[in-house]
Amino acid sequence: MSRSTIARINTGALQHNLQIMRQRAPDSRVAAVVKADGYGHGLLTVAKALQQADMLAVATVEEGVQIREMGISGDVLVLEGFHDQEDISAVQQHKLLPVMHADHQLKLLKDNAELSFKQVWLKLETGMNRLGFQAHRAAELHQWLQHGYTDQVVLMTHLANAELPHPSNAQQVEVFDQAVAGLPGPHSISNSAAAWGLPETRRDWIRPGIILYGISPFTDKTGTELGLKPAMHLCSEIIAIHDCKAGDSLGYGSRYQCSKDTRIAVVAIGYGDGYPRHIKDGAPVWVAGQQAKLAGIPSMDMLTVELPDDSTADIGDEVELWGEHIPVEQIAAFANTVAYELVCQITGRVKKDVV
Ligand SMILES: *Cc1c(COP(=O)(O)O)cnc(C)c1O
């Protein structure tokens, strides 16, 4: 009776991808990024599977506390750091490692002068204009942190265009290198794209996220083409099949018109499950061992697929929306977004099966 719309999460794939990332950057330690519920794959599953990483990284203090409550005791970095007294107490209590990127955090630290951390990551603004202290403050802040609060300051920044051959990459690295020249401590610059494609940014710590899930950060290559394995397989089943005549239209808004007599399969997944509503007709869907095409606007609980003439599809057959046969990167292109968003927006209605 249970609905068979499921996301199968393959922990072996997560571990394989970590291994591939390590081979690509053998001299760097890995902070495996598991924010946003492990990029939608399930925080517990992902945090457990990736314990071989040198540390885990999350966005928020709350996510860090969740990891501790799962009984995981390794290092956990909080990429946005603490924002109030409650946060800073939780960071201390649960032995999380904070990123410091703004003056309000310095003030909180001064108000808690007795605190100390195994490591603090000092984030510098080098061109993305999101988080980070102005690079010229690096030396002053480094000294202040090291004299009061920690024995080790990791110097970090984040690139705005790492997945592209963009001139800003070299510019950001140059601003960073000038700011940290002569300061002791490890460096960290790279997300997945930089760790993969920009060797000069690998440094002491890389911070890969998307690659660990088997997804490529580059638009011209899929994860599989990089040697990665997709960690999420999003599947559902056919709940109805019917014949449409040439000229019939499908679904809300009648967006899709059948150009010829066509068999249509109705699949039990829609935007209420996180499948993108804004996707174009023709997006690939894997049905009965073949690639079929999405036809019509997905609705909340269902979508419709035009079956190939020789399809053997039947009611109850499993359908793959992305995963083994259909790269999620390809779905992202049809939906005019990035695969990051697709995996993150799978809703709570979709059961996760860990394999
Ligand atoms: C999310 C995040 C990462 C990981 O990025 P990917 O593109 O998924 O590899 C790395 N560093 C920071 C600061 C992040 O916020």
Side-chain angles (χ1 to χ4, degrees):
M1 206 193 68
S2 72
R3 191 160 174 262
S4 52
T5 302
I6 54 172
R8 274 192 209 105
I9 308 300
N10 186 330
T11 54
L14 293 165
Q15 286 158 355
H16 166 86
N17 299 330
L18 173 61
Q19 209 45 45
I20 296 286
M21 188 68 252
R22 280 199 191 282
Q23 283 167 16
R24 185 89 179 175
D27 301 325
S28 305
R29 277 175 286 173
V30 177
V33 182
V34 300
K35 61 196 181 187
D37 199 29
Y39 287 47
H41 293 61
L43 181 61
L44 177 59
T45 306
V46 170
K48 269 194 188 155
L50 294 176
Q51 280 190 81
Q52 292 307 310
D54 301 290
M55 77 169 53
L56 299 174
V58 291
T60 68
V61 173
E62 201 176 348
E63 291 171 334
V65 172
Q66 281 169 18
I67 289 183
R68 287 290 180 252
E69 284 171 351
M70 293 164 186
I72 292 174
S73 58
D75 286 341
V76 176
L77 178 68
V78 181
L79 293 167
E80 291 176 5
F82 46 75
H83 298 290
D84 55 27
Q85 185 58 43
E86 201 186 331
D87 275 357
I88 198 171
S89 304
V91 165
Q92 180 73 5
Q93 183 193 339
H94 295 281
K95 295 191 162 41
L96 307 173
L97 306 177
V99 169
M100 304 281 297
H101 58 79
D103 283 304
H104 71 278
Q105 297 175 322
L106 299 181
K107 178 165 185 320
L108 274 165
L109 210 46
K110 281 181 196 149
D111 294 345
N112 291 268
E114 76 290 356
L115 296 191
S116 70
F117 303 92
K118 171 178 167 185
Q119 205 178 58
V120 173
W121 289 47
L122 176 59
K123 186 163 188 177
L124 301 176
E125 162 51 38
T126 57
M128 180 155 177
N129 289 304
R130 197 177 59 176
L131 295 186
F133 293 103
Q134 292 303 310
H136 69 84
R137 297 176 64 191
E140 160 225 339
L141 292 168
H142 185 283
Q143 195 182 20
W144 185 77
L145 287 169
Q146 220 164 29
H147 282 125
Y149 299 99
T150 186
D151 291 333
Q152 188 171 58
V153 177
V154 181
L155 294 150
M156 76 178 284
T157 193
H158 193 63
L159 302 180
N161 295 290
E163 67 284 3
L164 304 168
H166 194 289
S168 71
N169 293 322
Q171 285 161 10
Q172 285 196 260
V173 170
E174 196 186 324
V175 171
F176 180 79
D177 282 341
Q178 280 180 8
V180 305
L183 298 178
H187 294 181
S188 178
I189 301 178
S190 328
N191 60 3
S192 293
W196 194 269
L198 302 172
E200 71 281 11
T201 67
R202 285 182 193 138
R203 310 293 167 103
D204 305 285
W205 282 96
I206 58 172
R207 309 185 305 269
I210 199 74
I211 271 182
L212 301 178
Y213 305 93
I215 298 169
S216 168
F218 308 108
T219 49
D220 62 338
K221 278 213 167 61
T222 64
T224 309
E225 287 166 347
L226 299 179
L228 307 169
K229 293 183 181 166
M232 181 189 288
H233 301 267
L234 183 64
C235 301
S236 186
E237 68 173 332
I238 299 177
I239 56 169
I241 292 186
H242 52 83
D243 294 308
C244 282
K245 295 259 174 296
D248 285 354
S249 58
L250 297 180
Y252 290 120
S254 306
R255 178 175 75 178
Y256 187 82
Q257 272 210 337
C258 297
S259 58
K260 55 183 173 50
D261 293 359
T262 310
R263 280 177 82 223
I264 298 296
V266 181
V267 181
I269 189 166
Y271 63 81
D273 302 291
Y275 193 85
R277 181 176 176 279
H278 294 285
I279 194 164
K280 289 192 284 245
D281 285 326
V285 180
W286 191 257
V287 185
Q290 272 181 310
Q291 195 166 307
K293 288 180 176 167
L294 178 93
I297 299 177
S299 46
M300 188 181 293
D301 316 301
M302 287 168 267
L303 53 77
T304 42
V305 174
E306 189 186 282
L307 294 172
D309 291 338
D310 59 347
S311 175
T312 61
D314 206 347
I315 290 177
D317 281 0
E318 184 170 291
V319 171
E320 180 194 298
L321 288 311
W322 64 67
E324 192 183 345
H325 301 97
I326 309 285
V328 65
E329 296 93 329
Q330 209 179 341
I331 299 300
F334 271 92
N336 195 24
T337 185
V338 289
Y340 293 80
E341 185 183 36
L342 296 181
V343 289
C344 279
Q345 74 184 10
I346 294 299
T347 67
R349 185 164 73 178
V350 178
K351 274 183 297 177
K352 288 188 190 111
D353 267 9
V354 179
V355 296

